Amino acid sequence: MGMPSNLFNTAFKQQRLGLMFSIILVILVYLGTLAMAAQAVLARTALTWGYDLQSRVTIEIPFVDDEDATQKQDKRERLLQLLRAMPQVDTVEPIDEAKTQGLLSQWIDDASLLQALPLPQLIDVTFKVGATLAPAELQRTLASHNRDLRVYGHADWMDKLLGFLTGLGVIATLMLFLTGFAVVTVISAICRAALAVQHDTIELLHFMGAPDHAIARQFQKHIQRLAFPAALIGFALAALTVAILVFLLSSLGGLSLIAPLSWVTLGSVTALIPLGAIGLSIITARQSLLRLLRRLG
Amino acid sequence: MLVSFEHVSLRYPCGRTVLNDINLALMPGLFYFLTGASGAGKSSLLRLIYQMEKPTEGRVTLFDRDTSQLYRHEYPALRRRLGIVFQDFRLVPHLSALENAALPLRLAGAERLDVEQHVTELLNWVGLGDRLHALPSELSGGEQQRVSIARAIVNKPRLLLADEPTGNVDDEASKKLMHLFLELNKMGTTVIFATHQKDLVQQYAKPVLRLKNGRLVSSMDEAA
């Protein structure tokens, strides 16, 4: 039989420190979970995009005025054969003219004008995993076949966007650390206030021969009882927010912009935040109390 | 020897000397009055005994242990051999009389049934058998002090320290409390009873330790 479980009720109930502690922890867990979710999604998206962009190029066969359809097709087929024979190439996918016109149709309404446009032929090429063929190198290799070919590496024109994405990920990580720091700071302050209110009780336990670790354990149990529901509420609110964001993003058609991340993975990663907040609360409370007891003598 | 002080002085960091060259030796089983005006150093002397202060000079020996040689982790076991009664009772406000008095036993890890049975008997003995579940705020000053005494002796301490225990109660309650302390002493507990009430000291033929400006000016049987 240990100490009464309600020993530290005075500070946490009468002074409303318990309520204050719970509200602050709900907010911090909510923010931390959102930051963690953002960090996980952005990191995954940046990784996926980065890989996709580095491993893909688009080859442009320029439009030539006096070429008929058969000549165009011959030129394309020869190039396709050449590409498929290359050991570093994984897939070769010609983009048909209708698809290219479809891409342009967002800006040009007139179908007859689209038909009349001198469109180049495009071929999407994906390299095998681990291939180290740079777009410029591929262009040099293909120059013997057609001097006018252009090879565009996707990474070149998406680099800045990828940098922006990575930057957002770094900000989310920073927010995560700041949230953790805020948890420790706020909990330390609340613990100090609670300990000031309960100073007499703690001193009394000390006089009666309670070992430091026993008093600290009792205090940390009290914090633990407050932290569990607060962390769960903060996490549930954050999960609800993420669900709403996903719904809004999917209804706007923007969900394809982010890399797919399973709910299980996202849930597992973000669950670290409430667990971490509870752990931090308990450790901070324990350390604050042990410091006070050491000062008591 | 239960408690001995050898050339003990205590100075606070501000430079004020609270106790100056105290020498005393307390025998087990006796009842000692510790007297002196307010600020004479009575509470500081008691704090040195229950290890909440360390002497600036000299040596304090408690239960045959030189306290300067004690490690921090040894304090709890030592303090559990002491009972302390404060002038302001120091009861936990949201715990009942029974729960307050039971605290030391619970800290020692006693079984719930044993705790309740033993503490109920003890509270009956101090005359609070019908107020077991009352909160401190529902008790008079005298009753609160009796809960405080029950809490101090529930662990059967060898030494009971009382710091102005009758300071906050009326004369009638004061007599009842005094009776309890004397009964405890008859049962073998050594008692150090700090008070500034000269009339109280003069009523009983007990050894007196008198402090004046931080010095022990006499340690004799005053009533004799």
Side-chain angles (χ1 to χ4, degrees), chain A residues 250-261:
Chain A
S250 63
S251 65
L252 293 170
L255 208 55
S256 58
L257 288 174
I258 56 173
L261 189 65

Side-chain angles (χ1 to χ4, degrees), chain A residues 270-282:
Chain A
T270 50
L272 293 174
I273 297 299
L275 292 177
I278 293 168
L280 267 182
S281 308
I282 291 170

